[in-house]
Amino acid sequence: MTAFRCSRLTTVVVGAALLCTAVTAQAREFSVSTVLSDAFPWGQAAERWADLVEERSEGRITLRVYPNSQLVAGDQTREFSAMRQGLIDMAIGSTINWSPQVPELNLFSLPFFMPDESAVDAVTGGEAGEMIFDAIESRGVVPLAWGENGFRQLSNSQGPIAEPGDLNGLKIRVVGSPLFQDTFTALGANPTQMSWADAKPALTTGAVDGQENPLSVFDVARIDQVGQEHLTLWNYMNDPLIFAVNERVWSSLPEEDQALLRQAAIDAGQWEIAMTREQESERLAAIQERGVQVVELNGEQHQAFVEATQSVYDKWVPQIGEDLVETARDGIEAR
């Protein structure tokens, strides 16, 4: 028998055909890629989006979440390209991971550019955020909403890091972005690029001395169990998340479904941002209770890191776009 799927319908089977009565819309299912599972806020954002879409479409639209970068064989830096090519329908992706294909996203990776959460909000919610969304859409992907992976902190197995000189010679795992290579090289470290799937084994064996990630990742993944006994709170960059859809998939949807998906993404993103920020102090307390030694930079120490990474700006601002960087800076100063 030939099968046809209908939603919110009464169905009658006649011979080899499935006739749908009171047809309002055809049910559709889409893939959603994420790097982390729902043990982390990132993955929880994807599940929240899927649940809201399921509820608001009354089952007509299903978002099936594929965590751990499984749709790109664990290579998180391929996610944007795969979505642009139509191999992935939708994704909630990191600005870091998508920056090789969208250079404007490197704005968020400029070291010590955004001092606090209000600065992040000023960028994502202002003119600079609109410019970034335009840059993404020009590359065949439709951005819908912002989420947040949080400020990234530095951990290592060798000792406290309170000044740039403490990083000299340390092997630090970084993501596959050249800007990260330049930042840690400027600080005297030995940056080692690898995927998140390879990072924890490398920390376990001592192939790398340290890593940088938000507190949520450090906490949930129990990075302290692989020798990361020293943690420096330096807020050197923030990693917003972006809810997005392949352009051809988006164009295939009626306007009412586009509106439903966008609003559900906005709501899921706002929910996830609030949750991520609210849990920061609780996560830090839990990490300290497990014996991790925490260094929180004072103003003078922070400024030393800022000055040590100025060469990164000289190289990367022209690649990101001077207009975008200036617009973002204006938004931060005006917040």
Side-chain angles (χ1 to χ4, degrees):
M1 177 179 293
T2 302
F4 300 89
R5 184 178 176 188
C6 305
S7 61
R8 297 181 291 163
L9 309 173
T10 302
T11 60
V12 181
V13 178
V14 180
L18 181 64
L19 302 180
C20 304
T21 61
V23 176
T24 56
Q26 183 178 1
R28 299 185 67 177
E29 179 177 303
F30 302 100
S31 62
V32 179
S33 174
T34 64
V35 170
L36 297 178
S37 72
D38 61 3
F40 302 83
W42 191 338
Q44 291 165 21
E47 294 295 342
R48 180 78 167 187
W49 189 22
D51 289 345
L52 289 175
V53 169
E54 180 84 12
E55 174 187 340
R56 294 174 184 180
S57 70
E58 299 184 10
R60 287 190 301 105
I61 304 173
T62 298
L63 305 187
R64 189 166 302 280
V65 180
Y66 294 85
N68 303 315
S69 303
Q70 59 184 285
L71 296 180
V72 286
D75 185 354
Q76 59 212 57
T77 61
R78 290 177 48 215
E79 185 178 67
F80 187 85
S81 295
M83 181 167 45
R84 182 169 56 185
Q85 294 164 4
L87 303 176
I88 295 171
D89 297 324
M90 306 179 187
I92 301 176
S94 157
T95 59
I96 300 169
N97 294 334
W98 293 2
S99 64
Q101 290 80 41
V102 187
E104 291 85 352
L105 292 176
N106 284 300
L107 173 74
F108 297 101
S109 299
L110 285 173
F112 308 105
F113 183 68
M114 299 180 193
D116 50 36
E117 291 167 349
S118 68
V120 177
D121 293 342
V123 173
T124 58
E127 184 180 352
E130 294 174 2
M131 293 169 69
I132 290 169
F133 269 22
D134 287 343
I136 293 171
E137 190 156 4
S138 72
R139 292 168 172 89
V141 169
V142 180
L144 304 181
W146 296 97
E148 186 167 280
N149 202 20
F151 279 101
R152 297 176 80 88
Q153 317 298 356
L154 177 66
S155 73
N156 83 101
S157 60
Q158 301 302 307
I161 295 175
E163 59 184 41
D166 294 333
L167 272 161
N168 283 342
L170 291 187
K171 299 186 294 292
I172 304 296
R173 175 265 171 179
V174 297
V175 296
S177 167
L179 195 155
F180 281 70
Q181 298 274 347
D182 291 340
T183 295
F184 281 90
T185 298
L187 292 170
N190 178 14
T192 304
Q193 177 184 327
M194 62 179 63
S195 70
W196 174 241
D198 295 330
K200 198 168 183 179
L203 293 166
T204 302
T205 63
V208 293
D209 300 311
Q211 61 86 50
E212 48 78 52
N213 253 311
L215 288 182
S216 61
V217 175
F218 189 100
D219 183 28
V220 176
R222 298 299 298 267
I223 302 299
D224 51 290
Q225 293 183 343
V226 291
Q228 298 293 285
E229 300 173 352
H230 302 277
L231 178 67
T232 297
L233 303 181
W234 63 342
N235 283 11
Y236 88 114
M237 64 151 295
N238 189 285
D239 180 26
L241 303 176
I242 298 173
F243 294 67
V245 184
N246 167 274
E247 185 178 54
R248 290 185 297 276
V249 169
W250 185 253
S251 298
S252 74
L253 296 169
E255 288 185 5
E256 58 268 29
D257 286 348
Q258 291 179 351
L260 186 155
L261 280 165
R262 188 187 299 275
Q263 189 58 53
I266 291 170
D267 293 343
Q270 291 175 344
W271 171 84
E272 187 266 344
I273 290 170
M275 175 183 64
T276 298
R277 294 177 179 179
E278 289 170 1
Q279 293 176 347
E280 284 284 284
S281 59
E282 181 181 335
R283 291 192 187 282
L284 179 59
I287 290 167
Q288 290 177 302
E289 287 176 4
R290 299 199 294 265
V292 176
Q293 302 301 305
V294 176
V295 171
E296 188 165 4
L297 302 182
N298 61 33
E300 184 178 346
Q301 291 169 325
H302 179 271
Q303 185 59 30
F305 282 97
V306 171
E307 293 174 0
T309 53
Q310 280 306 298
S311 61
V312 179
Y313 283 75
D314 296 337
K315 178 178 179 178
W316 281 92
V317 168
Q319 298 183 46
I320 295 168
E322 293 184 3
D323 287 347
L324 174 58
V325 175
E326 190 61 30
T327 300
R329 185 177 285 117
D330 290 345
I332 291 171
E333 292 176 354
R335 74 193 190 278

